[in-house]
PDB file of all heavy atoms in Angstrom:
ATOM      1  N   GLU A 266     -21.833   4.483 -21.020  1.00 62.00           N
ATOM      2  CA  GLU A 266     -23.022   4.365 -20.113  1.00 62.00           C
ATOM      3  C   GLU A 266     -23.529   2.931 -19.866  1.00 62.00           C
ATOM      4  O   GLU A 266     -23.836   2.515 -18.775  1.00 62.00           O
ATOM      5  CB  GLU A 266     -24.248   5.157 -20.710  1.00 62.00           C
ATOM      6  CG  GLU A 266     -23.950   6.671 -20.615  1.00 62.00           C
ATOM      7  CD  GLU A 266     -25.252   7.545 -20.958  1.00 62.00           C
ATOM      8  OE1 GLU A 266     -25.733   7.284 -21.990  1.00 62.00           O
ATOM      9  OE2 GLU A 266     -25.748   8.233 -20.013  1.00 62.00           O
ATOM     10  N   GLU A 267     -23.570   2.101 -20.989  1.00 59.00           N
ATOM     11  CA  GLU A 267     -24.056   0.813 -20.850  1.00 59.00           C
ATOM     12  C   GLU A 267     -23.105  -0.030 -20.040  1.00 59.00           C
ATOM     13  O   GLU A 267     -23.463  -0.957 -19.306  1.00 59.00           O
ATOM     14  CB  GLU A 267     -24.269   0.175 -22.262  1.00 59.00           C
ATOM     15  CG  GLU A 267     -25.457   0.726 -22.989  1.00 59.00           C
ATOM     16  CD  GLU A 267     -25.728   0.128 -24.426  1.00 59.00           C
ATOM     17  OE1 GLU A 267     -24.784  -0.473 -24.826  1.00 59.00           O
ATOM     18  OE2 GLU A 267     -26.748   0.395 -25.049  1.00 59.00           O
ATOM     19  N   ALA A 268     -21.785   0.242 -20.269  1.00 51.00           N
ATOM     20  CA  ALA A 268     -20.776  -0.508 -19.487  1.00 51.00           C
ATOM     21  C   ALA A 268     -20.950  -0.328 -18.077  1.00 51.00           C
ATOM     22  O   ALA A 268     -20.843  -1.219 -17.256  1.00 51.00           O
ATOM     23  CB  ALA A 268     -19.417  -0.086 -20.014  1.00 51.00           C
ATOM     24  N   VAL A 269     -21.166   0.980 -17.635  1.00 53.00           N
ATOM     25  CA  VAL A 269     -21.338   1.298 -16.207  1.00 53.00           C
ATOM     26  C   VAL A 269     -22.560   0.733 -15.652  1.00 53.00           C
ATOM     27  O   VAL A 269     -22.519   0.133 -14.610  1.00 53.00           O
ATOM     28  CB  VAL A 269     -21.351   2.840 -16.151  1.00 53.00           C
ATOM     29  CG1 VAL A 269     -21.616   3.133 -14.543  1.00 53.00           C
ATOM     30  CG2 VAL A 269     -19.906   3.443 -16.438  1.00 53.00           C
ATOM     31  N   SER A 270     -23.612   0.858 -16.362  1.00 53.00           N
ATOM     32  CA  SER A 270     -24.949   0.287 -15.826  1.00 53.00           C
ATOM     33  C   SER A 270     -24.996  -1.171 -15.841  1.00 53.00           C
ATOM     34  O   SER A 270     -25.727  -1.679 -14.993  1.00 53.00           O
ATOM     35  CB  SER A 270     -26.078   0.958 -16.676  1.00 53.00           C
ATOM     36  OG  SER A 270     -25.984   0.522 -18.002  1.00 53.00           O
ATOM     37  N   SER A 271     -24.338  -1.831 -16.748  1.00 48.00           N
ATOM     38  CA  SER A 271     -24.312  -3.354 -16.746  1.00 48.00           C
ATOM     39  C   SER A 271     -23.499  -4.024 -15.867  1.00 48.00           C
ATOM     40  O   SER A 271     -23.533  -5.243 -15.601  1.00 48.00           O
ATOM     41  CB  SER A 271     -24.184  -3.718 -18.212  1.00 48.00           C
ATOM     42  OG  SER A 271     -22.802  -3.565 -18.549  1.00 48.00           O
ATOM     43  N   LYS A 272     -22.434  -3.349 -15.292  1.00 49.00           N
ATOM     44  CA  LYS A 272     -21.433  -4.084 -14.351  1.00 49.00           C
ATOM     45  C   LYS A 272     -22.076  -4.453 -13.155  1.00 49.00           C
ATOM     46  O   LYS A 272     -22.831  -3.752 -12.503  1.00 49.00           O
ATOM     47  CB  LYS A 272     -20.348  -3.046 -14.089  1.00 49.00           C
ATOM     48  CG  LYS A 272     -19.398  -2.869 -15.158  1.00 49.00           C
ATOM     49  CD  LYS A 272     -18.348  -1.834 -14.910  1.00 49.00           C
ATOM     50  CE  LYS A 272     -17.324  -2.202 -13.821  1.00 49.00           C
ATOM     51  NZ  LYS A 272     -16.237  -1.178 -13.652  1.00 49.00           N
ATOM     52  N   ALA A 273     -21.891  -5.707 -12.840  1.00 47.00           N
ATOM     53  CA  ALA A 273     -22.471  -6.332 -11.578  1.00 47.00           C
ATOM     54  C   ALA A 273     -21.884  -5.560 -10.352  1.00 47.00           C
ATOM     55  O   ALA A 273     -20.575  -5.512 -10.395  1.00 47.00           O
ATOM     56  CB  ALA A 273     -22.166  -7.870 -11.595  1.00 47.00           C
ATOM     57  N   PRO A 274     -22.564  -5.199  -9.441  1.00 51.00           N
ATOM     58  CA  PRO A 274     -22.023  -4.613  -8.244  1.00 51.00           C
ATOM     59  C   PRO A 274     -21.121  -5.658  -7.501  1.00 51.00           C
ATOM     60  O   PRO A 274     -21.398  -6.776  -7.345  1.00 51.00           O
ATOM     61  CB  PRO A 274     -23.271  -4.203  -7.334  1.00 51.00           C
ATOM     62  CG  PRO A 274     -24.383  -5.171  -7.856  1.00 51.00           C
ATOM     63  CD  PRO A 274     -24.032  -5.399  -9.331  1.00 51.00           C
ATOM     64  N   VAL A 275     -20.001  -5.044  -7.011  1.00 47.00           N
ATOM     65  CA  VAL A 275     -19.020  -5.936  -6.291  1.00 47.00           C
ATOM     66  C   VAL A 275     -19.467  -5.871  -4.808  1.00 47.00           C
ATOM     67  O   VAL A 275     -19.633  -4.943  -4.213  1.00 47.00           O
ATOM     68  CB  VAL A 275     -17.526  -5.380  -6.489  1.00 47.00           C
ATOM     69  CG1 VAL A 275     -16.663  -6.151  -5.696  1.00 47.00           C
ATOM     70  CG2 VAL A 275     -17.203  -5.288  -7.995  1.00 47.00           C
ATOM     71  N   GLN A 276     -19.486  -7.142  -4.335  1.00 50.00           N
ATOM     72  CA  GLN A 276     -19.720  -7.321  -2.864  1.00 50.00           C
ATOM     73  C   GLN A 276     -18.392  -7.246  -2.180  1.00 50.00           C
ATOM     74  O   GLN A 276     -17.615  -8.184  -2.246  1.00 50.00           O
ATOM     75  CB  GLN A 276     -20.423  -8.701  -2.647  1.00 50.00           C
ATOM     76  CG  GLN A 276     -20.913  -8.704  -1.158  1.00 50.00           C
ATOM     77  CD  GLN A 276     -21.525 -10.007  -0.803  1.00 50.00           C
ATOM     78  OE1 GLN A 276     -21.275 -10.996  -1.377  1.00 50.00           O
ATOM     79  NE2 GLN A 276     -22.257 -10.026   0.313  1.00 50.00           N
TER      80      GLN A 276
END
Side-chain angles (χ1 to χ4, degrees):
E266 286 193 301
E267 287 180 348
V269 172
S270 61
S271 66
K272 281 172 74 172
V275 177
Q276 188 183 22

